[in-house]
Amino acid sequence: MTKKYILLVEDNPDDVMLTLRALEQGHVINNVIVAEDGAKALDFLFGKGEFEGRDTADRPGLILLDLKLPKVGGFEVLDAIKKDPLFKRVPVVILTSSRQEEDVVRGYDLGANSYIRKPVNFDTFVETVKQIGMYWLLTNEAPEAS
Amino acid sequence: MKKNSIINLNSVWIGILIVSAVGVLGLFHAMSAPGSFFVWFHTIGLLVLLYFIRFIAEGNKHFISREIDSSIVKFSPDAIITISPDGTILTWNASAEKLFGYTMDEAIGKPIAFLYNLDWVTKEAEIRNHIMEGASFQQLETVFIAKNGSEVNVSISLSPLKDSNDNIIGLSKIIRDITDKKRSENEIRTLNAELERKVIERTTALQNAYDEMEAFTYSVSHDLRSPLRATDGFSQALLEDYGDKLDTTAQDYLARIRSASQKMGGLIDDLLQLSRQTRTTMVPSTIDLGIIARQIISELTQQEPERNIEVVIGNDMSAYADANLMRIALDNLLGNAWKYTSQHSDTKIEFGSMTQNGEKVFYIRDNGAGFDMAYVEKLFKPFQRLHTVQEFAGNGIGLAMVYRIIKRHLGRVWAEGEIDKGATFFFTMGLSESTYQHMEEQS
């Protein structure tokens, strides 16, 4: 349980700070790795580029994924994760600004486990992030690491 | 033609004269010496007489039909030309003179090719043999050249020209001036092309506008909310982390910043919802608006169980409409009735239907705050409010949404109200199964 960490894929530094703050306030988990764009997220997960040699068996317990990202977009990251035999079971929660119907549908079609729209009100945001963390890291039963 | 018929006329009369003379002479001799040579002479005379009578009759028949033919040719509005097998002009009527500008004297005896464009020269060479074998051709279109050099659009019918023994001795051409027809055709073609171009242009413009709106909506929903989140979030962070260093005024300012950010977030959401309304596809069916209304009222009651409101929902509440859209519309209308009666006791909300001029009119009536009829025009416009937020919460988007939803159902919506007496909202649903199917086919 202590080994578990969250991969936060988010390019906006404000949102990174606020999400970290919310996670902290929600007492969910302290161990968060931040990837500022989609390419970095994929490099981290698959041990490529600057993460060459990383133990890829060390998978995050939850991925929080923004959709509008530089270089490689959120949907591409999602697609790559859900198509990979090792990473496909890692829960991916889309955490984004948009509630466009086509985004929601596409997200689920690509295998997203949840779709959450970031609320403007920070109190609500804290509550939301807390719920996400509690549910996916504690309530939900994850498969044994293989 | 005329010259020929005069000669014919004279020969007929000469014939009659000779025959009469021989006949009378024969009769005279037969009477004076019966059985003699004169009897034979008489008999021969009679035979000659009979032959000439037949000849006169035949001649007359031909003469009459030729006269008819000749006047048809003369007064025909179409140019009628006959030519020999080698293309020499034999006859040329008045309309040919008028159409091409050459007089009869100028035309007759000349090869007809001076009228032709190059294409027609080839074309006629191809079909001439068929005509000489008896075929005819109807209404072939080409361009002839008139004497003044202008082009004349013509439609030509060609047939073999026969003598009285049915021998083909040339070609006859009936030529119709179709310049006006061609001009109209060209005009129609130009107009059609213009129309088509305009349709394409407008469709492209519409598509562009639509794409731009899509991009705009996407950007609004994605990018505009993000800074608001930061404003609200960091204000809260300031309050949490440095609240002890801020006096109450500073804390109040931060609270106001948060409240304003959240309000703007709400406005953006409403705008997006409003724009989504006009874009979602409609799936209408026959639905009971009463059932939807009961669900809404039950939700409102759950939210505010302390409210004591008498709700009356009519029986004949069926409509051909999109259930999701009508749910939004009724949410707003009933929600308004619920909201604007909150400061009144003995409140009553009525949702019913009636028939006006053969049309089903739905109405939602309350005995709440009402409104001043002077501002009725503003009611359905987005972000227009007749009450302050302090009096009644709201952002002025609800009735604008209702208006759009009813419009999409080809209906009308209007309101009547009086301050502190209540308001009534009326709407009709113009959509029917047949009109919807027609609209679908159109699009």
Side-chain angles (χ1 to χ4, degrees), chain B residues 321-440:
Chain B
D322 179 286
N324 288 331
L325 289 176
M326 285 316 292
R327 160 92 209 196
I328 296 169
L330 292 177
D331 245 341
N332 281 293
L333 289 170
L334 290 167
N336 277 352
W338 190 273
K339 179 165 70 181
Y340 290 107
T341 49
S342 62
Q343 289 164 13
H344 285 66
S345 50
D346 292 332
T347 48
K348 184 179 174 181
I349 296 172
E350 197 186 341
F351 179 31
S353 72
M354 57 188 173
T355 307
Q356 261 183 8
N357 304 322
E359 193 180 21
K360 194 174 188 175
V361 179
F362 296 95
Y363 62 89
I364 289 170
R365 181 174 289 131
D366 69 62
N367 58 354
F371 62 90
D372 186 345
M373 281 299 277
Y375 304 113
V376 70
E377 296 298 319
K378 288 190 166 186
L379 270 182
F380 297 100
K381 301 226 164 72
F383 302 113
Q384 298 275 358
R385 297 209 67 215
L386 302 186
H387 301 274
T388 64
V389 183
Q390 282 73 35
E391 288 175 296
F392 294 101
N395 50 28
I397 211 86
L399 287 178
M401 222 132 63
V402 170
Y403 180 81
R404 284 179 187 214
I405 289 168
I406 299 299
K407 278 270 149 180
R408 285 195 72 183
H409 288 84
L410 309 179
R412 288 172 295 125
V413 57
W414 67 100
E416 283 170 9
E418 196 181 330
I419 288 175
D420 280 334
K421 290 275 172 64
T424 310
F425 286 83
F426 303 89
F427 65 88
T428 61
M429 305 254 88
L431 198 67
S432 69
E433 202 161 348
S434 57
T435 49
Y436 177 69
Q437 271 159 10
H438 183 70
M439 278 160 68
E440 283 292 286

Side-chain angles (χ1 to χ4, degrees), chain B residues 242-299:
Chain B
Y242 303 94
D244 54 342
K245 293 184 179 121
L246 298 171
D247 63 16
T248 48
T249 315
Q251 290 194 12
D252 177 52
Y253 289 167
L254 282 170
R256 282 172 192 272
I257 291 172
R258 287 198 67 195
S259 151
S261 317
Q262 284 165 25
K263 192 183 168 200
M264 189 167 162
L267 285 175
I268 289 173
D269 288 352
D270 290 336
L271 264 181
L272 287 176
Q273 206 194 347
L274 189 66
S275 86
R276 208 175 296 139
Q277 234 91 93
T278 36
R279 287 181 298 137
T280 49
T281 11
M282 222 164 50
V283 190
S285 59
T286 304
I287 53 169
D288 187 344
L289 297 182
I291 293 176
I292 300 177
R294 278 186 201 95
Q295 287 168 354
I296 295 167
I297 293 294
S298 115
E299 281 165 26

Side-chain angles (χ1 to χ4, degrees), chain A residues 8-140:
Chain A
L8 172 64
V9 191
E10 171 64 77
D11 64 315
N12 183 335
D14 288 344
D15 277 340
V16 171
M17 271 184 82
L18 291 172
T19 309
L20 291 178
R21 191 178 169 90
L23 283 168
E24 195 185 312
Q25 286 191 2
H27 305 293
V28 184
I29 200 167
N30 295 324
N31 197 359
V32 181
I33 288 167
V34 179
E36 295 87 9
D37 61 62
K40 194 172 171 186
L42 290 177
D43 281 353
F44 172 80
L45 288 173
F46 298 108
K48 289 176 186 158
E50 61 175 300
F51 299 99
E52 187 78 54
R54 190 188 81 88
D55 176 16
T56 53
D58 181 21
R59 292 187 283 273
L62 174 68
I63 297 171
L64 296 177
L65 179 67
D66 189 16
L67 287 181
K68 260 187 117 186
L69 296 166
K71 295 181 194 170
V72 179
F75 287 122
E76 277 176 78
V77 174
L78 177 63
D79 195 34
I81 293 168
K82 291 300 176 186
K83 275 188 179 149
D84 185 89
L86 289 176
F87 286 94
K88 67 182 178 188
R89 293 189 197 96
V90 177
V92 178
V93 172
I94 294 175
L95 190 61
T96 186
S97 284
S98 141
R99 201 177 48 190
Q100 293 282 101
E101 187 58 24
E102 58 268 32
D103 281 358
V104 181
V105 169
R106 196 172 163 205
Y108 281 118
D109 284 353
L110 290 174
N113 298 75
S114 195
Y115 191 109
I116 310 281
R117 193 168 80 129
K118 295 178 218 170
V120 167
N121 185 329
F122 185 71
D123 305 327
T124 320
F125 188 50
V126 172
E127 190 52 39
T128 306
V129 168
K130 190 176 163 183
Q131 279 179 19
I132 297 170
M134 293 276 278
Y135 178 78
W136 285 109
L137 295 176
L138 301 173
T139 316
N140 187 53

